[in-house]
Amino acid sequence: MKYNSLISFGAALLLGVACVPKTTQPVYLDRSQPLEARIQDALDRMTLEEKVAMTHAQSKFSSAGVPRLGIPELWHTDGPHGIRPEVLWDEWDQAGWTNDSCTAFPALVNLAATWDRNLARLYGDCIGAEARYREKDILLGPGINMGRTPLNGRTFEYMGEDPYLAGQLVVPYVQGVQSNGVAACVKHFAMNNQEIRRTATNSIVDDRTLYEIYLPAFKAAVTEGGAWAVMGSYNLYNGQFNCHNKRLLCDILKGEWGFDGVVISDWGGCRDDDQAVTNGLDIEMGTWTNGLRGAASDSYSHYHLARPYLERLRDGRATEEGLNDKVSRILRTVFRTSMAPEPHDGSFTSPEHFAAARRIAAEGVVLLKNDGILPLQVPQGGKLLVVGENAYKMMVVGGGSSNLKTKYEVIPLEALHEAFDGKAAVVWERGYVGDTTTVYNKVVTGQNLRDSRSAEQLLSDAVAAAADASCILFIGGLNKSAGQDNEGTDRADIVLPYGQDALVEALAATGKPLVVVNISGSPVAMPWASRVNAIVQGWYGGSESGHALVDVLTGKVNPSGKLPFTMPLALSDGPIKTERQYPGIQEEGKKWWQEYYDEGVFIGYRWYDTNGIAVQYPFGHGLSYTTFELSDARVKRSGDGWKVSARIKNTGEVAGAEVVQLYIRDTEASVARPSKELKGFEKVYLHPGESRSLQFTLTRDDLSFFDAASHAWVAEPGEFHVLLGCSSADIRADVPFTL
Ligand code: GLC
């Protein structure tokens, strides 16, 4: 009996289940559904007003979702080096939360100096996890504008002067960020190569220069990295503002490159009702601010893509098809991030993130000169004299929109005390007073940088303290204050500020062993280079900056960084010779400043090397505590490309890493081509005596220049050279071959 009733109960249950209708949730909410199906379903359910609302900001850092459908708003956050502190609804100042102090990662120029694709991925993984944890959907970074002039105030936020290097590193960074369900928003597209009059200057660039220098890193980010977002830049190109620039956004980005993500304006970069509708902009952010000044008290319904857009849709001046394209891209971003198929939790200020920050910072430190004084040895009981404001000044706060509130920042002086504790006295002399600012957007460092002594007194105190020192370590440079590596201002020259040159000369004149550490995000002149024992290029290394620098100075980490830009002897040696080149000129009948990129493709080493101009330290330069030998370089045909092989050996006493760089030279071209162009690099870690074979692949595209007339890449027959080296000037093998 019991058994039968059991069967009948089971049958009833099955029948019952079969009859009750499955709760069919809408396709757009079903994370297992294909992305495009979810987008179309949501689009079909939205009203015109809901669609328009999504295309512009609703607060300082958010753009609208669709509350009625349960589609969340998109939260945007700076920046490329860490997750900006929370702000109030429509403020720039931080909101004063107590749980949003982030991990401050190294500045992107520091990442570029590692020349390490794996570290770029690690960086993206970590910063993406922090954005996700803070429930941010779009990370406003990385910045990848080319280093056209060393004066650019935001050089520290970018990845140097070579499009191949920047392109190779931005791809893994983007992939790392997006593996957390956070959109990377590569910026600032494009030719945003200065801060002077950045919202009023029209960049005039020929097509060959555009395609060979200013587009490649963005193209790599989009077509290889799969970037989900791109930020238009403040400046104009071809007379149109880049946040709604038809050629850049419609023809190139969405047309030639097939970009399926979302284009966001820079904050205040949208300037025109009609162009905002038709020229490729998808989300208007920050209007009436230039990203730095306070916003007008206007409501968001006045935005170009708000009420004016609705009016145009209703009176037929704008099409719903165009609106649907914008909204589809926005929905695609939502379904890739906050409503992604696999939800992500992220993580924040974990030990792993600080360890990653320390490793990346250290791997990017560049040893420029060393007569053997490094790694630093101070006799037991001796005195290490540390001179310079940058040994003490915290650098994570400030610099503009990349400003961060971090959980902690290790300054060099603290790390030095730790490293020499019980071994030698570490004594600090200020040496000079640079910038005493200790707050930005209400984020405070807590330091007191004031000093009542005169410049003369500060210098003489430092020199006096050298008398009984075993060794002097000068730590100076720039500091992200106005005009010294700072958004919104450019530098006036590459000469070190605050009388540092005279101070270094005075310290050198004491005859004591002297190590100079320059902490900056951009090139500086070093007229004293021949009079000091060692020179180290440090960067804004983030939370673990001090530890990273001292790890290298003490030999705990063998330096392997390489310069991502040229260190010129003087600004006047560079390719920029006229006002019309930089910072631009006014012309009769033209409203905006006009800036002519007359130097063409010849920026950075492409200029100095081709013209045989001596530099302080070349692009790609960086020494090690060991030595390396390159041998057996060969080039052989392989399919319709070439295989390049070589061997690298560690011929020194300690383990270390070398970056083998591959340049090509076209010796007989119908156009003027640079004497060399970077087309490959590999970073190799080797133990003493260990050697490794290297393989590179070259394609016809790698040998090509961009021909504007045919709008195509052209590799002309004739002799080419493969140049393999450990910097752009340290070429160890030159192998000719014929195309
Ligand atoms: C700024 C910057 C941009 C930043 C944005 C939001 O003006 O140009 O890089 O992401 O505004 O702060």
Side-chain angles (χ1 to χ4, degrees):
M1 182 56 176
K2 185 174 175 299
Y3 184 67
N4 285 335
S5 62
L6 201 56
I7 289 176
S8 54
F9 172 70
L13 188 66
L14 273 176
L15 198 61
V17 165
C19 293
V20 170
K22 192 160 120 5
T23 50
T24 48
Q25 64 174 352
V27 166
Y28 75 93
L29 288 177
D30 181 347
R31 294 172 189 248
S32 67
Q33 289 291 328
L35 188 56
E36 300 313 310
R38 296 179 70 189
I39 291 166
Q40 193 54 55
D41 183 44
L43 210 53
D44 294 344
R45 297 168 187 266
M46 290 169 68
T47 66
L48 191 75
E49 290 73 10
E50 287 169 336
K51 292 179 184 177
V52 169
M54 288 193 105
T55 66
H56 59 81
Q58 62 169 17
S59 77
K60 188 65 80 187
F61 283 105
S62 73
S63 50
V66 189
R68 176 178 64 84
L69 297 178
I71 295 176
E73 57 250 341
L74 278 171
W75 284 92
H76 312 234
T77 181
D78 288 312
H81 310 151
I83 308 309
R84 189 170 183 164
E86 199 66 26
V87 297
L88 295 175
W89 192 250
D90 198 2
E91 300 293 333
W92 289 113
D93 288 342
Q94 68 144 329
W97 284 16
T98 56
N99 60 354
D100 59 351
S101 296
C102 68
T103 305
F105 295 96
L108 285 192
V109 71
N110 187 156
L111 171 62
T114 69
W115 290 58
D116 189 321
R117 298 176 181 90
N118 297 326
L119 289 187
R121 173 64 198 239
L122 173 65
Y123 194 126
D125 283 339
C126 295
I127 195 171
E130 301 232 341
R132 180 43 54 210
Y133 183 89
R134 291 267 287 100
E135 299 184 334
K136 305 301 181 182
D137 308 302
I138 301 177
L139 177 72
L140 303 172
I144 48 177
N145 292 97
M146 282 294 105
R148 174 174 182 253
T149 164
L151 301 181
N152 181 3
R154 298 183 81 172
T155 303
F156 72 99
E157 287 189 59
Y158 302 148
M159 295 197 195
E161 68 188 31
D162 181 87
Y164 178 80
L165 174 63
Q168 288 296 305
L169 297 178
V170 74
V171 167
Y173 178 108
V174 165
Q175 292 168 337
V177 169
Q178 298 184 166
S179 69
N180 291 280
V182 173
C185 181
V186 282
K187 66 187 186 181
H188 308 82
F189 190 58
M191 279 81 71
N192 191 169
N193 302 111
Q194 69 197 56
E195 291 300 291
I196 288 181
R197 296 189 291 267
R198 61 177 178 167
T199 61
T201 299
N202 180 36
S203 303
I204 299 163
V205 194
D206 66 273
D207 267 15
R208 179 180 169 212
T209 304
L210 178 70
Y211 276 81
E212 284 192 29
I213 301 297
Y214 297 103
L215 292 181
F218 285 100
K219 182 177 181 183
V222 166
T223 60
E224 297 168 48
W228 292 340
V230 170
M231 182 187 291
S233 60
Y234 282 126
N235 55 300
L236 301 92
Y237 160 65
N238 269 358
Q240 281 189 344
F241 283 100
N242 286 351
C243 291
H244 33 72
N245 187 297
K246 185 181 176 307
R247 182 163 197 225
L248 286 180
L249 301 179
C250 302
D251 302 348
I252 297 173
L253 176 66
K254 296 179 178 180
E256 291 180 22
W257 300 348
F259 177 63
D260 72 352
V262 69
V263 171
I264 295 165
S265 75
D266 200 339
W267 267 239
C270 181
R271 311 283 287 270
D272 180 277
D273 290 350
D274 292 313
Q275 291 185 21
V277 170
T278 58
N279 288 7
L281 176 61
D282 299 309
I283 306 181
E284 173 189 1
M285 298 300 292
T287 295
W288 294 299
T289 76
N290 72 349
L292 293 175
R293 283 198 312 273
S297 59
D298 246 303
S299 79
Y300 290 93
S301 60
H302 292 280
Y303 268 41
H304 301 282
L305 286 181
R307 194 173 295 151
Y309 193 15
L310 266 175
E311 285 161 7
R312 283 163 173 73
L313 285 159
R314 288 178 178 140
D315 68 19
R317 284 178 291 161
T319 67
E320 186 146 9
E321 182 197 359
L323 172 63
N324 287 344
D325 180 63
K326 296 183 197 292
V327 177
S328 298
R329 293 169 181 275
I330 298 167
L331 288 167
R332 189 169 296 119
T333 309
V334 175
F335 297 152
R336 281 170 164 166
T337 57
S338 58
M339 293 178 75
E342 318 79 35
H344 298 268
D345 297 327
S347 59
F348 199 60
T349 64
S350 61
E352 293 78 12
H353 288 179
F354 285 107
R358 178 170 183 167
R359 183 175 163 211
I360 295 162
E363 293 261 350
V365 172
V366 184
L367 180 59
L368 296 174
K369 173 185 179 182
N370 185 22
D371 68 0
I373 190 174
L374 292 177
L376 208 50
Q377 313 282 342
V378 181
Q380 184 63 36
K383 170 181 166 182
L384 170 62
L385 173 63
V386 182
V387 179
E389 184 173 272
N390 285 1
Y392 178 72
K393 180 175 169 60
M394 296 170 85
M395 299 283 197
V396 167
V397 172
S401 59
S402 60
N403 169 57
L404 293 173
K405 176 168 76 173
T406 182
K407 202 151 197 170
Y408 65 81
E409 177 179 356
V410 178
I411 58 174
L413 199 56
E414 178 186 347
L416 287 164
H417 281 303
E418 286 173 12
F420 289 95
D421 184 26
K423 297 172 187 163
V426 175
V427 173
W428 179 56
E429 276 294 337
R430 181 73 171 267
Y432 67 90
V433 173
D435 174 62
T436 58
T437 313
T438 57
V439 61
Y440 189 92
N441 278 163
K442 289 189 179 172
V443 180
V444 297
T445 66
Q447 291 190 313
N448 175 357
L449 294 172
R450 280 186 297 282
D451 193 311
S452 58
R453 288 175 288 174
S454 69
E456 294 71 23
Q457 190 61 54
L458 283 158
L459 187 146
S460 66
D461 289 354
V463 170
D468 62 344
S470 317
C471 169
I472 306 170
L473 175 59
F474 176 83
I475 304 181
L478 308 181
N479 51 28
K480 293 169 68 174
S481 64
Q484 308 299 348
D485 288 340
N486 180 281
E487 177 178 345
T489 58
D490 281 349
R491 296 171 63 199
D493 198 326
I494 63 169
V495 174
L496 277 175
Y498 317 126
Q500 293 178 74
D501 286 343
L503 175 54
V504 171
E505 297 288 5
L507 293 171
T510 66
K512 296 285 183 175
L514 172 59
V515 175
V516 171
V517 176
N518 174 59
I519 292 181
S520 70
S522 54
V524 301
M526 300 179 171
W528 29 261
S530 61
R531 290 182 286 286
V532 303
N533 302 80
I535 306 172
V536 173
Q537 172 62 32
W539 310 98
Y540 307 124
S543 297
E544 286 285 345
S545 192
H547 281 149
L549 176 64
V550 174
D551 285 349
V552 170
L553 293 175
T554 58
K556 189 173 171 189
V557 169
N558 185 354
S560 62
K562 298 283 184 178
L563 288 178
F565 49 56
T566 305
M567 206 67 101
L569 287 164
L571 180 65
S572 54
D573 292 342
I576 304 240
K577 305 293 185 190
T578 64
E579 289 270 312
R580 92 185 219 127
Q581 281 178 281
Y582 171 86
I585 55 174
Q586 289 186 300
E587 289 181 340
E588 190 63 35
K590 294 202 175 144
K591 181 176 182 180
W592 309 109
W593 293 77
Q594 305 299 309
E595 185 167 60
Y596 292 83
Y597 284 43
D598 294 332
E599 74 284 350
V601 300
F602 297 96
I603 66 167
Y605 71 92
R606 287 174 166 82
W607 166 261
Y608 298 106
D609 199 281
T610 305
N611 293 287
I613 297 168
V615 297
Q616 189 70 59
Y617 295 108
F619 173 79
H621 171 71
L623 303 176
S624 171
Y625 294 146
T626 185
T627 51
F628 296 93
E629 185 183 84
L630 199 66
S631 61
D632 301 343
R634 289 189 180 80
V635 178
K636 65 181 178 25
R637 204 83 168 92
S638 164
D640 58 5
W642 292 264
K643 286 281 183 222
V644 179
S645 59
R647 277 196 88 70
I648 176 87
K649 181 177 182 181
N650 180 340
T651 51
E653 306 299 316
V654 293
E658 181 56 282
V659 179
V660 178
Q661 301 156 43
L662 184 156
Y663 299 85
I664 63 110
R665 170 175 297 151
D666 181 356
T667 54
E668 41 187 314
S670 61
V671 295
R673 294 193 72 175
S675 55
K676 53 175 68 101
E677 297 170 59
L678 183 71
K679 297 294 179 183
F681 64 85
E682 285 302 330
K683 187 162 195 175
V684 186
Y685 294 78
L686 298 170
H687 293 289
E690 185 185 2
S691 69
R692 183 93 48 86
S693 69
L694 293 170
Q695 303 288 334
F696 299 92
T697 303
L698 279 180
T699 66
R700 286 181 70 88
D701 278 354
D702 293 326
L703 307 182
S704 301
F705 64 87
F706 187 80
D707 176 51
S710 58
H711 197 74
W713 290 91
V714 173
E716 292 172 331
E719 185 183 84
F720 284 83
H721 288 246
V722 163
L723 307 170
L724 287 172
C726 303
S727 90
S728 60
D730 178 8
I731 297 302
R732 310 277 181 93
D734 177 344
V735 184
F737 68 101
T738 304
L739 172 62

